[in-house]
Amino acid sequence: MGSTSSTLLKIPNVEVLMQETGFSPAHIIRLHDRFKALDKEGRGHLCPQDFGAIKELAMNPIGDRIIGAFFSPGKETVDFHTFVKILILAHFRPVDKNRPKEPNSPEPINSRSNKLKFAFQLYDQDQDGKISRDELLKVLQAMLGMQVTEEQLESIADRTIQEADLDRDDAISFEEFRKSLEKVNIDHKMSIRFLR
Amino acid sequence: MEGAWEIAFVLFQVWLSIVVGLIVLPAMFGVSLGFTDIYIKVLVKTLEVKAFLLCLVSFQIHNVLSGIIEKDDDFTMCDAFYFCKKGIENIVEDQVTQRFTSEELASWNLLTRTNNNFRYISVRLTIIWGLGVFIRYCILLPLRITLAVIGLSWLVIGTTLVGLLPSSNAKNWLSDLVHITCYRICARGLSATIRYHNKENRPKKGGICVANHTSPIDIVILANDGCYAMVGQVHGGLMGVIQRSMVRSCPHVWFERSEMKDRHAVAKRLKDHIADKTKLPILIFPEGTCINNTSVMMFKKGSFEIGGTIYPVAIKYDPQFGDAFWNSAKNNMVSYLLRMMTSWAIVCNMWYLPPMTRQDGEDAVQFANRVKSAIAHQGGLVDLSWDGGLKREKVKESFKEEQQKMYSSMIVGLDCHEASEGPV
């Protein structure tokens, strides 16, 4: 019959998850089904190869970086909880502007700042807190491939750093990154929604 | 004990004669007693009432695919977001897989298989649902199984008998009769209501009939209104028996698995078949696999290289009464048939499109796409350029390059392209 309560019970710590993410039971189940579909061997957790099996993701120029974002350094697997949390961090649900701001409550997972941190990580692969010229070049290389020449890539990279780098250290720190995207509507660019 | 068996036997005979008298015989002669129509009308009324009750609780997942980047010819840091967003969307649900799962129904037709998130909503609804289950499994299912068995046995026996005759016009006529009556019985066995449009464009002998593919039932639907030569792989078991007997009465094209790999051999056999104007038109499904009837995927060019006249046909199922889509990865044939026979009904529309031939200067791929667009347009299906084979194979590198090309043309702009066209 597929009633929701029995499926929900199979997911460990689902109450906590729902509270932290604000998802309804139906959404959690939807994501859980997707998780199980990706976890072809039924191990209960995903490894990078499971993500790699998604064809469209394999086609995505920064696909491997996105996959890398799911696995914290040193970890080879991701369980359902982390899966959902990273999805919501990266893309789900616009920041809930109506939630009252309590002074001591932790920042919601998908706040603007956290979303920006996630995006920053895509660039900053060695996690040193700065996007160096090399790292920027690598991203451009991935997104543009053989369609542009080396010189064009370098000039785009130079221009970008010039515009964003305020302390002239030839790298973009998180603060500079955040500042350069002040006017950008992150919610629009980085959200997909479950619609009712 | 003896008495009980006798009574059971008598009941069985009565049941069988009712079925034969009221369903099989009219079906064979193409006459409708109107039962199915009344049944469908009742169904529609019931579901409308129920849909109103449920509309508050239904939901869909809607991927907001805004492919529009506000570009001003400059790379900004947030351009990576576009690819990131696409990537995450694909992790949650990728477009190829989505095409292969059943259409999400905004309303629910009392079949839990179509709505994974059935909740216990109210006592009344659960009772209606329970009643539905009883009707479907205890009344409709035995009836349909009986019909299916009758239909298939008739096909095997009939074609074998016709096969004993020497080649003649009478033989062809009889063979057509046997085939059509069998498919009509099977169609009744699924409570199928089919509406045909544009019958004047029906495929003629020596042509190739091309249609979009949703399930094995497509064959029954198509063959209800005409006779076709089937194309397919040789199977074992029951399918094999049916295939062998069909071939006795009129030529079909069955391939061994090993032959399928040799494209030239396949093409040659098909060419030979259509060159013979006395043979029935070939039926081909160029998508290569079952799609979930919301879109049409890329047509494989093989069928379009053979030449001859193509008669496109668009088939669109009405998902309100039963989802006909066969997810071969999820269900095997038997469980699929069981699902079909316990659905309410199969309602579909079939459009015969005017014949098309390959024009000068058009290669097979372009021709295939032209036919595909015509079918998608007529059936109200989305015309996708995804390759149905992606369900099972690896992605080609060229697809990734296309993504990069698209992105770079936005960033770099025209003058840079001209510069790069130089000696590099």
Side-chain angles (χ1 to χ4, degrees):
Chain A
M1 205 157 115
S3 82
T4 53
S5 48
S6 68
T7 328
L8 271 180
L9 285 173
K10 292 194 196 118
I11 307 170
N13 297 331
V14 69
E15 302 284 321
V16 177
L17 191 62
M18 286 200 289
Q19 205 168 33
E20 281 181 343
T21 59
F23 276 138
S24 72
H27 297 166
I28 299 273
I29 289 180
R30 185 82 182 198
L31 288 174
H32 190 72
D33 283 345
R34 179 63 176 161
F35 184 83
K36 276 195 295 193
L38 291 172
D39 178 18
K40 291 197 176 61
E41 294 172 38
R43 288 169 300 195
H45 53 82
L46 297 176
C47 62
Q49 287 88 331
D50 293 324
F51 284 97
I54 304 173
K55 306 294 180 239
E56 272 209 356
L57 197 59
M59 268 176 42
N60 194 312
I62 54 171
D64 21 356
R65 286 166 190 258
I66 298 174
I67 297 175
F70 279 85
F71 299 90
S72 27
K75 285 197 80 177
E76 288 286 305
T77 60
V78 59
D79 62 8
F80 182 59
H81 269 247
T82 323
F83 180 70
V84 174
K85 289 221 197 96
I86 296 192
L87 280 180
I88 199 175
L89 168 68
H91 272 78
F92 270 100
R93 310 248 308 212
V95 176
D96 196 352
K97 297 187 179 63
N98 297 327
R99 225 190 272 187
K101 280 218 172 80
E102 294 151 52
N104 293 329
S105 68
E107 212 178 352
I109 301 183
N110 57 350
S111 70
R112 187 188 167 87
S113 169
N114 282 335
K115 277 189 199 269
L116 283 171
K117 279 203 197 112
F118 181 84
F120 189 76
Q121 262 185 321
L122 290 177
Y123 285 95
D124 180 23
Q125 289 283 288
D126 60 7
Q127 313 268 3
D128 63 353
K130 283 185 185 299
I131 304 176
S132 67
R133 193 167 173 281
D134 261 336
E135 287 171 331
L136 187 57
L137 268 177
K138 283 214 185 74
V139 177
L140 285 170
Q141 175 75 288
M143 291 200 289
L144 295 169
M146 305 302 285
Q147 309 305 319
V148 295
T149 62
E150 282 290 312
E151 293 92 19
Q152 282 166 328
L153 278 179
E154 309 230 346
S155 78
I156 294 175
D158 285 333
R159 201 182 343 122
T160 313
I161 294 194
Q162 210 177 30
E163 284 171 1
D165 186 15
L166 301 167
D167 60 5
R168 300 281 155 235
D169 62 351
D170 211 28
I172 304 177
S173 69
F174 180 64
E175 276 310 310
E176 292 163 350
F177 183 74
R178 189 213 285 262
K179 234 181 157 10
S180 77
L181 294 175
E182 236 169 14
K183 302 219 176 61
V184 173
N185 185 348
I186 301 283
D187 296 343
H188 176 69
K189 284 192 183 292
M190 283 187 78
S191 296
I192 61 180
R193 317 193 294 276
F194 283 119
L195 272 188
R196 243 169 234 287
Chain B
M1 268 310 288
E2 284 286 309
W5 279 117
E6 274 177 23
I7 297 176
F9 192 59
V10 167
L11 278 176
F12 181 66
Q13 279 184 323
V14 169
W15 159 257
L16 209 55
S17 28
I18 293 179
V19 168
V20 170
L22 287 180
I23 303 181
V24 173
L25 285 176
M28 286 170 78
F29 294 108
V31 169
S32 169
L33 287 178
F35 287 139
T36 322
D37 289 338
I38 299 175
Y39 173 60
I40 299 281
K41 286 202 180 83
V42 169
L43 265 185
V44 170
K45 279 274 163 278
T46 326
L47 292 176
E48 270 172 9
V49 168
K50 191 226 62 319
F52 180 71
L53 289 175
L54 262 190
C55 70
L56 299 164
V57 212
S58 68
F59 76 94
Q60 306 171 6
I61 287 198
H62 180 76
N63 277 325
V64 180
L65 289 174
S66 64
I68 307 163
I69 315 176
E70 292 114 39
K71 275 316 308 161
D72 53 356
D73 285 308
D74 247 351
F75 168 76
T76 53
M77 303 290 274
C78 56
D79 287 348
F81 293 9
Y82 167 70
F83 286 113
C84 183
K85 171 169 162 169
K86 283 237 155 165
I88 299 284
E89 276 166 356
N90 296 139
I91 291 178
V92 174
E93 195 148 61
D94 66 276
Q95 197 181 33
V96 176
T97 311
Q98 196 180 34
R99 293 291 157 200
F100 295 100
T101 52
S102 303
E103 233 184 316
E104 302 274 347
L105 279 183
S107 67
W108 185 44
N109 61 353
L110 286 173
L111 298 172
T112 45
R113 60 187 70 139
T114 49
N115 187 329
N116 297 328
N117 301 287
F118 167 68
R119 298 180 216 209
Y120 180 78
I121 295 154
S122 72
V123 182
R124 200 186 332 160
L125 200 60
T126 317
I127 292 179
I128 299 180
W129 177 79
L131 197 62
V133 169
F134 175 73
I135 295 178
R136 283 187 293 125
Y137 280 83
C138 302
I139 300 178
L140 292 179
L141 182 62
L143 175 66
R144 287 174 181 168
I145 292 183
T146 319
L147 285 171
V149 168
I150 293 178
L152 287 176
S153 337
W154 170 238
L155 178 67
V156 173
I157 297 172
T159 49
T160 314
L161 286 176
V162 172
L164 295 171
L165 295 173
S167 281
S168 63
N169 279 340
K171 179 179 181 184
N172 292 338
W173 182 78
L174 276 174
S175 152
D176 286 355
L177 187 68
V178 169
H179 277 112
I180 279 204
T181 47
C182 156
Y183 286 121
R184 285 208 183 120
I185 299 174
C186 289
R188 295 286 173 171
L190 294 164
S191 296
T193 304
I194 312 161
R195 274 178 228 116
Y196 298 99
H197 305 263
N198 307 333
K199 279 195 182 183
E200 67 272 9
N201 292 324
R202 230 188 269 178
K204 301 194 179 43
K205 290 192 177 171
I208 304 178
C209 177
V210 153
N212 60 315
H213 201 27
T214 305
S215 86
I217 294 180
D218 290 344
I219 301 174
V220 172
I221 307 268
L222 278 164
N224 252 298
D225 193 45
C227 290
Y228 300 93
M230 308 285 168
V231 176
Q233 248 182 29
V234 167
H235 285 98
L238 182 62
M239 271 304 296
V241 172
I242 298 176
Q243 282 178 331
R244 282 192 294 273
S245 59
M246 278 168 78
V247 146
R248 282 193 203 113
S249 62
C250 74
H252 296 278
V253 188
W254 303 122
F255 290 106
E256 300 288 338
R257 198 163 215 141
S258 47
E259 274 180 289
M260 302 262 331
K261 302 228 168 88
D262 184 356
R263 279 185 43 183
H264 291 292
V266 169
K268 184 162 188 323
R269 266 183 81 175
L270 291 174
K271 266 201 192 102
D272 291 340
H273 186 108
I274 57 174
D276 185 349
K277 295 294 172 199
T278 60
K279 293 196 179 156
L280 298 167
I282 303 180
L283 180 58
I284 292 185
F285 297 106
E287 281 161 310
T289 184
C290 291
I291 315 291
N292 76 345
N293 207 233
T294 56
S295 53
V296 183
M297 292 220 176
M298 188 164 100
F299 277 5
K300 299 221 175 338
K301 60 178 177 148
S303 347
F304 299 89
E305 286 172 328
I306 305 170
T309 323
I310 303 273
Y311 295 90
V313 175
I315 307 178
K316 175 81 174 123
Y317 289 89
D318 188 343
Q320 200 185 10
F321 297 101
D323 181 18
F325 166 56
W326 182 34
N327 188 341
S328 52
K330 221 171 156 194
N331 308 321
N332 61 12
M333 179 66 107
V334 176
S335 64
Y336 169 71
L337 284 176
L338 206 62
R339 273 170 62 119
M340 284 301 99
M341 291 195 189
T342 52
S343 301
W344 291 116
I346 312 278
V347 177
C348 65
N349 284 297
M350 234 177 79
W351 290 269
Y352 290 105
L353 297 167
M356 293 175 155
T357 43
R358 183 147 67 134
Q359 285 162 357
D360 292 327
E362 199 179 32
D363 71 1
V365 177
Q366 288 165 335
F367 182 38
N369 283 334
R370 193 160 60 92
V371 173
K372 176 164 86 87
S373 299
I375 292 183
H377 184 69
Q378 179 62 270
L381 305 159
V382 174
D383 187 2
L384 279 188
S385 59
W386 270 107
D387 184 353
L390 270 176
K391 204 164 113 187
R392 297 191 188 103
E393 291 166 20
K394 279 182 149 282
V395 165
K396 298 194 193 110
E397 265 306 298
S398 50
F399 282 128
K400 202 168 191 167
E401 269 182 45
E402 268 188 43
Q403 290 250 328
Q404 289 170 334
K405 253 192 212 149
M406 180 191 75
Y407 179 63
S408 69
S409 65
M410 281 190 274
I411 303 292
V412 178
L414 279 172
D415 33 348
C416 292
H417 263 292
E418 279 167 26
S420 68
E421 227 90 14
V424 186

